[in-house]
Amino acid sequence: MRRETFDTVILGAGAAGMMCAIHAAARGGRVLIFDHARNPGEKIRISGGGRCNFTNIGATARTFLSGNPHFAKSALGRYTAQHFIALVEKHGIAYHEKTLGQLFCDRSARDIIAMLLQEMAGAGCELRLSTTLERIERSEAGFTVTLGGERPAIVDCRHFVVACGGKSIPKMGATGLGYQLARQFGLAVTETRPALVPLTFGEDVLAGFREIAGVAVDVRVSCGKTAFEEALLFTHRGLSGPAILQISSYWRETQPIRIALLPPTDMFALLCAAKRENGRRSISTALGEILPKRLAARLAQVQGWSGTLGEATDRKLATIAATLHGWELHPIGTEGYRTAEVTLGGVDTGGLDSRTMEARAVAGLYFIGEVVDVTGWLGGYNFQWAWSSGWAAGTAI
Ligand code: FDA
């Protein structure tokens, strides 16, 4: 088998791996980045509905979940959203802010992949696709890596970077190999679970709402002390939409979630005003002027809110308003890794240096991106973590 030597070998040509490769190579080292997929950056390609929500201008450690909420501060503070925006602008990629600080490409997520590949080529990295990791062992100089696939080789390197992501969307090549490698080298891995994922419900709840699948409404959804105000989407299997994906990262089995429909609206005041204006309207019709019509009709039916506004006492209207702002539901699960945007948990940050992402106990071994126990909210935060942690490792190598 061919024997080769590189300064740095990176497992995974995703967002974090490519960013790391660019900066490690820019410092003059020989860098090899490999991936078992046939194309680099497949998750970038499908992200943001094909337009890649590549960062969020409000990204700070506060917008991430981690066993150590301070861990991400160093990398996020030194390679910020503004740094990535500068790179995007240098490549002439047009972008726009959609909402809540979320930046998307105007044209296509492929522009981000092309940009990273161009930077990698400029820095002189070697990219090998359809390449698998057969084995990795510690050696005197660093690591001996056995590669399989299209071009089997034994590679000696001083630095080995694990950037192979988490377990979400196995169909796209997610394997969870990074956790296995962490354990091989004695690093702890925290519990992993699907996050940014739709929630599923039992037949008792679904029966009431299946027929309004596709309806979206702005809500405040909370679980314990955490709350998000964004859109909720009814689906055939349960609830989705940004608000639900956000809260899914905080929800645990047996916990209820609470939903307030159209949160800033004073529902009681609106219903009283509607009653004064025209008491002959049915409650369902009046609700349909505040909420999406199909949702209002279904809610009125499920809750038994019959009759006209004129017939309803103020007390009844207050009860309706309270229900609309305090709807408690018990999810039975999530849609799982099949559709989860990210994996919550991962390589325990206690074993990593937050400035460099290097394993404290294994010199030359680095973990970056989603494989680490740092998980962002929905909205460009996860890519920013990939860029920041990739940069931190790349510039430290
Ligand atoms: P990533 O998963 O990107 O890359 C890992 C690479 O390792 C892959 O190329 C994979 O093929 C390779 N690999 C895995 N196992 C391997 C093995 N055993 N051998 C060799 N190679 C292996 N985030 C965001 O901020 N904005 C957004 O718009 C979106 N949108 C979005 C949509 C969808 C549908 C999903 C699933 C996810 C998102 N995300 C997102 C999340 C974002 O995609 C994610 O956080 C980053 O891609 C993580 O980057 P990494 O480089 O860590 O892993």
Side-chain angles (χ1 to χ4, degrees):
M1 207 185 288
R2 261 167 77 104
R3 191 140 198 154
E4 299 170 272
T5 304
F6 284 87
D7 294 300
T8 302
V9 173
I10 301 170
L11 161 62
M18 290 199 277
M19 193 63 170
C20 179
I22 291 163
H23 290 281
R27 291 165 67 85
R30 274 197 82 205
V31 176
L32 170 68
I33 177 167
F34 73 96
D35 201 298
H36 64 173
R38 279 162 50 193
N39 297 299
E42 278 294 85
K43 277 203 185 153
I44 300 175
R45 183 179 59 79
I46 61 157
S47 67
R51 293 250 166 92
C52 186
N53 176 194
F54 56 80
T55 192
N56 191 298
I57 50 178
T60 65
R62 202 181 58 78
T63 53
F64 291 83
L65 291 84
S66 172
N68 175 1
H70 303 292
F71 181 81
K73 281 183 183 167
S74 173
L76 289 171
R78 287 180 302 136
Y79 190 88
T80 65
Q82 294 307 326
H83 289 103
F84 194 76
I85 293 166
L87 182 63
V88 166
E89 288 178 352
K90 182 181 120 189
H91 284 257
I93 299 172
Y95 64 92
H96 60 279
E97 180 181 343
K98 199 165 168 188
T99 173
L100 303 171
Q102 302 167 7
L103 303 190
F104 285 75
C105 297
D106 283 358
R107 219 180 62 87
S108 165
R110 290 176 197 273
D111 290 345
I112 299 291
I113 303 174
M115 172 189 85
L116 295 169
L117 290 176
Q118 199 179 326
E119 290 282 326
M120 283 203 309
C125 321
E126 186 173 333
L127 169 65
R128 282 187 207 165
L129 298 166
S130 305
T131 302
T132 55
L133 177 73
E134 300 297 310
R135 196 177 333 157
I136 172 167
E137 284 161 352
R138 205 84 175 97
S139 68
E140 218 168 275
F143 302 90
T144 301
V145 182
T146 308
L147 299 179
E150 281 182 359
R151 219 171 117 189
I154 294 176
V155 180
D156 293 301
C157 59
R158 278 197 297 135
H159 310 283
F160 187 81
V161 184
V162 180
C164 58
K167 297 192 215 172
S168 54
I169 324 254
K171 218 170 65 187
M172 298 212 62
T175 55
L177 174 66
Y179 311 125
Q180 217 175 297
L181 292 172
R183 291 193 185 99
Q184 177 187 331
F185 288 102
L187 276 85
V189 177
T190 66
E191 185 204 354
T192 51
R193 52 184 286 131
L196 300 183
V197 63
L199 296 174
T200 55
F201 292 85
E203 195 49 39
D204 52 330
V205 178
L206 281 183
F209 296 100
R210 193 175 275 127
E211 69 182 49
I212 55 166
V215 170
V217 59
D218 285 341
V219 299
R220 177 176 204 269
V221 61
S222 55
C223 183
K225 290 188 177 144
T226 309
F228 291 94
E229 283 189 21
E230 286 195 59
L232 170 151
L233 176 72
F234 291 88
T235 72
H236 288 284
R237 288 170 54 89
L239 296 178
S240 186
I244 294 297
L245 299 189
Q246 297 281 31
I247 210 69
S248 73
S249 300
Y250 293 85
W251 175 78
R252 292 296 176 275
E253 283 70 12
T254 75
Q255 277 184 301
I257 58 167
R258 283 175 79 81
I259 295 168
L261 301 168
L262 305 180
T265 312
D266 183 340
M267 292 287 184
F268 180 61
L270 276 184
L271 288 170
C272 289
K275 181 176 166 178
R276 279 195 303 273
E277 203 179 282
N278 179 359
R280 284 187 310 247
R281 269 177 301 173
S282 71
I283 293 173
S284 170
T285 305
L287 285 176
E289 282 157 20
I290 305 168
L291 295 163
K293 283 197 173 39
R294 285 168 65 205
L295 171 61
R298 200 70 195 123
L299 270 174
Q301 195 179 350
V302 168
Q303 300 287 344
W305 296 330
S306 55
T308 64
L309 285 173
E311 289 158 359
T313 60
D314 280 1
R315 197 161 162 188
K316 179 167 178 179
L317 295 183
T319 307
I320 293 173
T323 307
L324 296 175
H325 271 183
W327 194 19
E328 190 169 289
L329 288 171
H330 284 264
I332 57 165
T334 76
E335 295 265 7
Y337 287 116
R338 191 179 57 84
T339 59
E341 284 206 7
V342 284
T343 306
L344 188 68
V347 177
D348 194 326
T349 56
L352 303 176
D353 181 324
S354 64
R355 278 190 72 76
T356 61
M357 304 294 135
E358 188 175 18
R360 291 183 190 283
V362 190
L365 180 67
Y366 301 76
F367 290 85
I368 56 173
E370 191 179 324
V371 72
V372 180
D373 173 27
V374 173
T375 308
W377 288 353
L378 183 80
Y381 301 101
N382 285 296
F383 277 135
Q384 186 56 45
W385 170 244
W387 315 133
S388 297
S389 59
W391 174 91
T395 51
I397 281 170

